[in-house]
Amino acid sequence: MAQLTLKVNGKAEVLEVEATSMLLYALRDNLGLHGPRFGCGLSQCGACTVNVGGVAVRSCVTPVSAGVGKEILTLEGLSSNGKLHPLQEAFIAEQAAQCGYCLNGMIMQAKPFLEHKPNPSEEEIRQELSNNLCGCGTHLRIVRAVQRAAKAMAGGVS
Amino acid sequence: MITKASMSRRVFLKGSAALVVGIGLSGSLGKAQGGEALSRSLNPGDLEAWLAVLPDNTVTVYSGKVELGTGVDTALRQIVAEELYLPFSAITLVQGDTALTPNQGYTAGSQTIQVGGSQLRKAAATARQALLQLAAKKLGVSLDQLVTKGGYISPQNSASPRVSYGALLGGQQFHYAVDPNVKLKDPSQYTLVGTSVPRVDIPAKASGKFTYVQDVRVPGMLHGRVIRPPTTGATTINATLEGVDESSVAQIPGGVKVVRKGNFLGVVAETEWAAIQAAQQLKVRWSVEKTLPQMGTLYNYLQGLKTSDQTELHTGDVEAALAASPQSLHATYQWPYQIHDSIGPSCAVADVRGDQVVCWSPTQGVYPLRGALAQLLGVPERNVRVIYVEGSGCYGHNGADDVTADAALLSQAVGRPVRVQWMRWDEHGWAPKGPAMVMKLRGAIDARGNVAAWDNAVWTPTHSTRPSGEARNLLAGNLIAQQVPTGGPVGGDRNAPVYYRFANNRLVLHWIPIASSPLRPSALRSLGGVQNTFANESFMDELAALAKADPLQFRLNHLDDPRAVAVLQASAERFGWKSGPRKASSVSDIAIGQGIAFARYEGRNAYVAAAAEVEVELKSGAIRVRRIVVAHDCGLVINPDGLRNQIEGNVVQALGRTLKEEVRFDSQGVQSTDWSSYPIITFPEVPTVEVVLIDRPHEPAVGAGEATTVVIPGAIGNAVFDATGVRLRTVPFTPQQFLAQASP
C-alpha cells in the first residue's frame, strides 16, 4: 500500500492505495464517489471518464499515480453550491437518459470539449462522443443535450 | 364493492415514510440486515400489499415490477397518483424487495405498464373507494356527496371541514381486499396520465448522486471476482477444474482468499484492485472438451439437431396452394447469437451469515431468484431476502442473477459481505445469449397478386432459462452441479405467426433442447420477436417484389385490423413513402432506398410500423441508415416523452443488432469478449429517428419496451433491397455480408 494525495473536486484527499492500482478504484472505493463508473476496464466504453488537468481521461486505465499533483474533476464536482452545471441541466431538460450508466462519461467527455469548442456542429459532437458507448440507444437525446448545453455555456438561454 | 379482508390483526405503520422507504434504496442499507419485523401482508389480493397512506398524506407504493432504465418508476407513480387524485410528488415507490413488495414475477416482456400498471391502478382505485367509505362514516354524509381533491375528501355543498387521507387511515394499513372490478377513473378525466412528467431518477443520475447496485457498500464488505473455465458461454460447461495454485497469488497484498466449490472458482480480497489482480493471476488448470460447432456451420448445425417439433398453426392447405400457384418462392433467414449491451457489467452484494441471507441485486425477479439462491446455498427460502437495486441497462436475462449467486457463494464461504462486479469479459462471455435462430419460409402468389400460401419453419431453443427457483439456472449452480439450465419452450415462437390474413398458412416450430444449444440461451429484448419479424417482414417484401406490388400496399391488402392499417399509413405518410414496385436504381457509387415493416407485438399487443431510408456504398458494401420513422400504437399512453425515449432506444439498439452485433465463438467457447471484438452502434452511425404516437386513451395500455425492436431489421433489409436489388437474409448486415450477397 502506498500513501498519496489526490486533489479531487477541489479538495486534497490522502489515500491508502496499491501503487499499481488505477485512478477509478481510488475514486470509487476510497472516496466513495458514484460518478465515475466501471464499464470495461479497457478504455473502450467511456463510462469511467473523469477530467484530469482539464482533459477527459479514462480513469479505468489511468494509474492512480498519474493523478498526483493534478486537478481531478468528477461528475460530482461539476455542480457548485447546489447549482448544476449547464451540461447536467441540459441532460435533465432533454431527459437524455434511460439507465443512465453511461451518463457520467458523456458529460465528462463533453465538458472539456465544449470549453474548447463553444459552438460545435452536430457532426462534431457525434465524433467527439464516438468512443463513448451507450447500450440503451439514448444517443439522439444525448446529442441534443450537448447542443443545449453548448448554447447555455456560450451565454444563450439554457 | 369494497370488502374488508379477513386478515389477522396488524400493527400500525410506524409513523414516518423513511422507515419503510429508505431500506435498500438509499443510505440505510445497513438496516436491512436486521430484517425489521414486517406485519404487512404481501398477498397481492390485499390492498396493503400495494399501498400505504402515511400520516403526512403521502402514499408509498410497493411494486414488484422494477425500474430497469425504462422510466417505469415515474410512469407507475403517475398511474397511482391519477387514480388517487393526488399530486405526483405525493407518491414514493418501493421496488422489488422480497421483504416489502408483492410477488409480481419478473420485470420483463414489456409487461410493467401492461400488467403491473393495471394491478396498481386497481389497487389505487380500491384505496380511493375505501377512503371514501371511511370519509362518509366520519363526516356523516353519503358517498355520493363526497368530492376528492389533492389527498383530501370533503362534502359537496357543505361547510364541513375536509379530511385528509392520512387522517382517515390514522397511520393504519388498509385492511381491504383489492377489488378486481373496482370502478376506475374515466380516462377523459386524466390530468397526470398522458402527460410527460419528467423522470424522477434523471437528476440524480446526471449529478453522480444516484446509487446503482455497483455503488452499494455495506460495512465489513470484501470484494470478489470469479474465474471461469475456458469454455466461455457454453451451455454445457465441458470443463473440469483440475487444480489451483494458490501460491500464485500469495504475493498480492490485501488478504486474498481463494474459494472453490466444484467448478465454481472465485477470489475475495480487502480491495477491489487486489481481487481483480488475483483473479487474473491465479494459476488454474482446467481439462477441456471442445464440443462447439464451427461458427461458419452454425445454422446448418442447428437445423441438424434433434428437435421437439410442433405445428403451431395450419389453416387451409399450404402444400396444395403452393403446388397450384403460378409463382412461388422460398428463402432462409438466419440470426446470430447476440449479447446484452449493458455498459456496466453485472454486480451484486451478498451478506450470508449462517443460514440468513441478504442480497442486493439488479435482478429482474427478486422472488424467482430467491428460490434459486436458497437451493444453491442450502438454506430455507424464507431466510433469503433479495433487494432490487438498479444496475446498468437491462434488456433481458443478462448476468444480474448469476453475479448475485457468485456474491452469495463467496460470502457464504468467507462469512463476510462480498461485492462482486463482473469484468467486461465475464459479461460478454458468460451472460446468457440472445439465441441464434433459423427461419425457413416458403410462399406463393395467386393470379391476383395476393399471398396464396405461407409456410414457415423456425429452429429455436427456448428464450428463457431464467432462475425460476432452480439453482442450476444460475451459472454458479451449473458449474457446481454440472447440470445445464432447465426451462420450458418460451419465446422462440414470439411473432412467428404473422398478423396478415392468409387463407393457407402454416407454422412449424423446431424446438432445440437447451442442452443442444451451443451457447447458453435466454431472454434478450423481444425474445424471438426480432428474429421472426425480420424473417416474416423480409419475406413479405420478397413476395411483394414477386407480385410486382408496392410493399406498403401489398401489406395493407392482407390486413383487416384498422389499428394495423393506421400505423402503416402513419409511418408511410410521415416518411414520404414513394409508392410503386421497386425500380432498378441508376448505377452510381451510392444507392439509396426505402423499406417498410410492420408487426403487432406478440400478435395481441402494441402495433408498430417502421419506414427506413438507407444508403449503400456499393464498392465497400457499407450500409448507412439515414432516417427511420416509427408509428406506434400501444393504446393509452401514460407518459408520451417516456414512450418516445423507449421507442428511440428500441430503434437505435435494434439498428446495432441488425448492422453489427454477432457473438464470435470457436470450438471451445465465445471469443468476442470485449467491445472491439463485439462492436455496438456508435454516435456517428445513429440515424434521424422520428416517432408518430397514436394515443388511444380508451384502449388498454400495453407494453412498449420491445415492440419497436422487432420491425427495425426488416425495414432496413427491405430498404437495402430497394436500393440495390440485393436481399440480405443473414444478420448482421456487415459490408462483407452485403458484398457476398451482391456477387454470388
Side-chain angles (χ1 to χ4, degrees), chain B residues 263-323:
Chain B
N263 279 330
F264 174 82
L265 183 62
V267 293
V268 295
E270 294 287 342
T271 70
E272 191 166 13
W273 186 248
I276 291 170
Q277 298 309 300
Q280 288 181 29
Q281 292 172 28
L282 187 66
K283 286 203 177 119
V284 183
R285 278 184 303 114
W286 301 93
S287 63
V288 176
E289 269 182 87
K290 299 185 179 188
T291 59
L292 299 188
Q294 288 303 305
M295 190 175 156
T297 67
L298 173 66
Y299 299 113
N300 285 333
Y301 178 86
L302 295 178
Q303 291 173 72
L305 292 169
K306 189 170 167 16
T307 54
S308 166
D309 299 341
Q310 166 196 349
T311 300
E312 180 144 306
L313 69 91
H314 192 175
T315 55
D317 186 337
V318 165
E319 293 299 341
L322 279 167

Side-chain angles (χ1 to χ4, degrees), chain B residues 141-163:
Chain B
V141 294
S142 64
L143 275 175
D144 57 4
Q145 293 298 304
L146 294 173
V147 291
T148 315
K149 197 178 175 191
Y152 292 86
I153 298 174
S154 55
Q156 212 169 10
N157 313 321
S158 154
S160 300
R162 62 182 192 171
V163 57

Side-chain angles (χ1 to χ4, degrees), chain B residues 194-408:
Chain B
T195 66
S196 295
V197 174
R199 270 177 48 176
V200 293
D201 53 337
I202 293 183
K205 286 176 172 176
S207 53
K209 294 195 172 82
F210 194 80
T211 298
Y212 292 92
V213 70
Q214 285 86 355
D215 303 313
V216 171
R217 301 287 187 272
V218 299
M221 185 187 87
L222 298 170
H223 290 272
R225 287 294 184 276
V226 285
I227 300 101
R228 304 299 195 197
T231 53
T232 309
T235 307
T236 307
I237 299 298
N238 280 325
T240 305
L241 181 51
E242 300 289 357
V244 179
D245 176 8
E246 296 196 22
S247 71
S248 60
V249 293
Q251 82 290 357
I252 297 172
V256 174
K257 265 190 200 151
V258 176
V259 175
R260 179 183 172 176
K261 198 169 181 184
N263 279 330
F264 174 82
L265 183 62
V267 293
V268 295
E270 294 287 342
T271 70
E272 191 166 13
W273 186 248
I276 291 170
Q277 298 309 300
Q280 288 181 29
Q281 292 172 28
L282 187 66
K283 286 203 177 119
V284 183
R285 278 184 303 114
W286 301 93
S287 63
V288 176
E289 269 182 87
K290 299 185 179 188
T291 59
L292 299 188
Q294 288 303 305
M295 190 175 156
T297 67
L298 173 66
Y299 299 113
N300 285 333
Y301 178 86
L302 295 178
Q303 291 173 72
L305 292 169
K306 189 170 167 16
T307 54
S308 166
D309 299 341
Q310 166 196 349
T311 300
E312 180 144 306
L313 69 91
H314 192 175
T315 55
D317 186 337
V318 165
E319 293 299 341
L322 279 167
S325 297
Q327 300 186 89
S328 65
L329 268 186
H330 62 91
T332 301
Y333 301 89
Q334 303 173 146
W335 191 280
Y337 287 109
Q338 295 185 327
I339 66 162
H340 301 259
D341 297 333
S342 311
I343 297 303
S346 297
C347 180
V349 177
D351 190 354
V352 183
R353 312 271 177 109
D355 64 355
Q356 297 294 318
V357 180
V358 182
C359 296
W360 293 266
S361 168
T363 179
Q364 288 176 277
V366 289
Y367 283 95
L369 175 59
R370 177 174 73 161
L373 287 173
Q375 205 181 76
L376 179 74
L377 300 170
V379 301
E381 190 169 342
R382 66 177 180 279
N383 291 10
V384 180
R385 179 178 183 185
V386 182
I387 302 165
Y388 174 77
V389 188
E390 189 176 343
S392 178
C394 170
Y395 322 104
H397 182 190
N398 61 10
D401 298 302
D402 294 335
V403 78
T404 311
D406 294 342

Side-chain angles (χ1 to χ4, degrees), chain B residues 1-2 122 125-126 178-184:
Chain B
M1 183 60 200
I2 305 295
K122 283 177 184 165
T126 304
V178 176
D179 178 1
N181 303 311
V182 66
K183 185 172 185 302
L184 300 167

Side-chain angles (χ1 to χ4, degrees), chain A:
Chain A
M1 286 286 178
Q3 192 179 76
L4 49 80
T5 304
L6 293 180
K7 194 172 176 197
V8 180
N9 297 330
K11 196 174 156 207
E13 306 271 8
V14 181
L15 311 174
E16 291 277 339
V17 293
E18 294 105 321
T20 59
S21 180
M22 297 297 157
L23 179 59
L24 175 66
Y25 305 102
L27 297 174
R28 287 185 55 77
D29 295 337
N30 293 66
L31 299 180
L33 295 172
H34 292 189
R37 321 206 59 79
F38 178 84
C40 63
L42 303 163
S43 190
Q44 293 179 343
C45 76
C48 65
T49 303
V50 299
N51 292 177
V52 178
V55 177
V57 304
R58 304 299 196 227
S59 66
C60 72
V61 294
T62 302
V64 63
S65 55
V68 175
K70 308 236 174 76
E71 297 277 345
I72 299 167
L73 184 71
T74 75
L75 185 60
E76 289 90 341
L78 286 197
S79 49
S80 55
N81 301 326
K83 171 102 178 96
L84 294 178
H85 186 275
L87 268 162
Q88 295 172 311
E89 288 181 338
F91 272 72
I92 296 167
E94 294 290 343
Q95 294 284 289
Q98 288 188 44
C99 82
Y101 199 89
C102 69
L103 234 62
N104 165 70
M106 300 298 172
I107 294 173
M108 298 313 290
Q109 186 74 30
K111 182 176 181 284
F113 170 68
L114 291 183
E115 283 164 355
H116 290 107
K117 196 161 190 65
N119 188 24
S121 67
E122 180 181 341
E123 187 54 35
E124 287 169 327
I125 294 170
R126 286 171 175 247
Q127 281 305 325
E128 175 65 20
L129 296 177
S130 62
N131 292 317
N132 285 70
L133 300 180
C134 164
C136 297
T138 322
H139 303 69
L140 294 164
R141 286 169 182 252
I142 291 169
V143 170
R144 287 202 294 272
V146 175
Q147 287 174 311
R148 178 188 278 257
K151 281 195 196 117
M153 287 166 73
V157 180
S158 169

Side-chain angles (χ1 to χ4, degrees), chain B residues 612-644:
Chain B
E613 181 182 81
V614 306
E615 61 177 52
V616 184
E617 203 181 272
L618 294 171
K619 265 198 195 124
S620 69
I623 295 165
R624 193 170 81 86
V625 178
R626 291 176 160 187
R627 180 170 171 244
I628 291 187
V629 176
V630 174
H632 195 279
D633 170 3
C634 56
L636 166 72
V637 175
I638 308 296
N639 184 317
D641 187 64
L643 176 58
R644 285 175 187 277

